[in-house]
């Protein structure tokens, strides 16, 4: 392992992994080393450039906390999140497609009943969302868990706007369950386009690359049911100007839906609404888990 040079260093590093008993870990790190070294050789990476890269990654780490995940943002804007999702969640035709998770999911979100208002004071025009969760063969999926979260009309998720004492009031976020027929319904607010957080190192990277930070309007969904693969996806608002330039590359044509505008009147839940409101109807089709597929 002495007198290594730019040609022999890669083989020396990969040979040093021989003692790793975890075959998958050994294989992944080996390929990572090979590709990183190949990248450095191909680009003729300089010490100064590598120092800037280290400083950038250090800044990403410093700004990351339990409310802001800059590393996920970095993965998202480089398309790596979408690539990993695409190769990890191939589904039969007809199933709802998966897309990126995003950095603003919160575990243990508030529980709601059918037709409840999950906006909980979030600012935005009223929107009533409903649909059905089914299996690929058309059977309704009863009592499926549905988690939904979204930004408000100013483009902020609840975790981005804590109270003065630092606590977070959950708004435009919640969990509900489908009924016996697989149907769900809730009230929220109209989805609007918004920029990802771009006041940190990822934002500076986007600016340097001549890219915008905007995401098209969407709702996040995570749907879980026994015997089915968990679905993590978005539903995007048709007509949004950023559908073809989503900064995190998450749009799928099958996930684009129409939000329908209504004049003041009676909402789908029977309640009176004295301002214009929107409705979104979207059905989800789950893929059965491998162990649940009949032989």
């Amino acid at each position: 392992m002495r007198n290594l040079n730019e040609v022999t260093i890669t083989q020396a590093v990969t040979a040093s992994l021989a003692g790793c008993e975890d075959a998958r870990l050994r294989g992944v790190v080996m390929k990572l080393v090979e590709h990183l070294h190949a990248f450095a050789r191909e680009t003729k990476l300089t010490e100064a450039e590598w120092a800037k890269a280290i400083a950038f990654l250090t800044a990403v780490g410093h700004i990351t906390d339990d409310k802001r995940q800059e590393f996920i943002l970095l993965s998202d804007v480089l398309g790596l999140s979408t690539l990993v999702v695409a190769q990890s969640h191939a589904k039969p035709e007809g199933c709802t497609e998966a897309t990126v998770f995003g950095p603003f999911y919160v575990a243990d979100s508030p529980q709601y009943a059918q037709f409840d208002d999950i906006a909980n004071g979030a600012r935005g025009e009223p929107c009533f969302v409903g649909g059905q969760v089914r299996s690929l063969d058309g059977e309704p999926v009863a009592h499926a868990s549905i988690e939904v979260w979204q930004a408000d009309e100013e483009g902020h998720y609840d975790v981005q706007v804590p109270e003065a004492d630092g606590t977070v009031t959950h708004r435009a976020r919640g969990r509900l369950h489908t009924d016996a027929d697989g149907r769900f319904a809730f009230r929220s607010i109209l989805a609007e386009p918004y920029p990802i957080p771009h006041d940190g190192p990822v934002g500076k990277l986007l600016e340097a690359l001549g890219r915008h930070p905007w995401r098209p309007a969407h709702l996040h969904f995570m749907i879980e049911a026994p015997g089915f693969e968990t679905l993590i996806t978005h539903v995007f608002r048709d007509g949004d100007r950023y559908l073809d330039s989503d900064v995190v590359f998450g749009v799928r044509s099958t996930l684009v839906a129409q939000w329908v505008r209504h004049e003041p009147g009676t909402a789908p839940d029977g309640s009176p609404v004295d301002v214009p409101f929107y409705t979104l109807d979207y059905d989800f089709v789950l893929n059965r888990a491998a162990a649940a597929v009949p032989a």
Side-chain angles (χ1 to χ4, degrees):
M1 297 257 295
R2 298 184 183 185
N3 304 320
L4 298 173
N5 58 35
E6 63 183 68
V7 176
T8 60
I9 180 64
T10 304
Q11 184 178 357
V13 176
T14 56
S16 74
L17 304 174
C20 179
E21 296 181 357
D22 185 327
R24 174 61 176 171
L25 176 61
R26 183 174 65 252
V28 169
V29 174
M30 184 177 296
K31 286 299 179 184
L32 177 63
V33 169
E34 291 174 352
H35 285 287
L36 282 175
H37 286 208
F39 163 77
R41 290 190 185 96
E42 182 179 347
T43 61
K44 299 188 183 301
L45 191 67
T46 67
E47 286 184 274
E49 291 166 340
W50 185 231
K52 286 184 179 180
I54 294 295
F56 170 78
L57 292 174
T58 301
V60 170
H62 284 168
I63 202 172
T64 297
D65 57 24
D66 60 343
K67 296 182 175 62
R68 175 166 180 162
Q69 234 304 350
E70 196 81 357
F71 278 107
I72 291 181
L73 283 180
L74 178 58
S75 173
D76 288 349
V77 304
L78 294 178
L80 183 58
S81 299
T82 291
L83 171 59
V84 173
V85 167
Q87 66 185 13
S88 300
H89 295 281
K91 302 177 186 298
E93 185 176 355
C95 287
T96 303
E97 293 186 87
T99 190
V100 294
F101 201 29
F104 296 114
Y105 171 75
V106 172
D108 302 318
S109 58
Q111 298 278 347
Y112 288 97
Q114 294 273 358
F115 301 108
D116 278 353
D117 183 1
I118 73 166
N120 193 29
R123 286 182 288 187
E125 297 180 80
C127 181
F128 296 82
V129 181
Q132 186 182 39
V133 179
R134 303 189 301 269
S135 66
L136 189 56
D137 56 12
E139 291 296 316
V141 180
H143 313 303
S145 168
I146 299 180
E147 287 193 69
V148 59
W149 62 103
Q150 69 174 106
D152 63 19
E153 67 180 5
E154 296 182 348
H156 295 134
Y157 288 83
D158 49 10
V159 294
Q160 295 178 281
V161 284
E163 309 295 339
D165 62 0
T167 61
V168 172
T169 299
H170 288 311
R171 296 187 172 95
R173 179 189 304 276
R175 180 197 295 263
L176 63 153
H177 291 82
T178 60
D179 63 17
D181 295 318
R183 298 195 174 278
F184 64 91
F186 59 90
R187 176 173 175 165
S188 188
I189 53 175
L190 178 66
E192 298 281 8
Y194 65 85
I196 64 170
H198 57 286
D199 57 341
V202 170
K204 292 179 181 177
L205 175 64
L206 289 174
E207 184 178 2
L209 296 174
R211 291 176 55 191
H212 71 69
W214 285 85
R215 297 218 63 202
H218 62 275
L219 294 180
H220 292 263
F221 286 87
M222 182 165 73
I223 304 177
E224 300 174 286
F228 292 90
E229 295 177 359
T230 296
L231 173 65
I232 296 171
T233 195
H234 302 2
V235 178
F236 295 92
R237 185 176 164 194
D238 192 20
D240 192 285
R241 63 180 294 189
Y242 297 109
L243 285 173
D244 294 314
S245 63
D246 180 10
V247 67
V248 308
F249 309 99
V251 178
R252 302 289 178 272
S253 295
T254 59
L255 302 178
V256 178
Q258 184 72 43
W259 268 250
V260 180
R261 187 179 186 275
H262 304 267
E263 295 301 324
T266 303
D269 63 359
S271 64
V273 183
D274 58 6
V275 295
F277 63 94
Y278 290 78
T279 56
L280 166 66
D281 293 302
Y282 192 87
D283 294 344
F284 297 91
V285 179
L286 302 186
N287 191 31
R288 292 191 184 275
V293 176

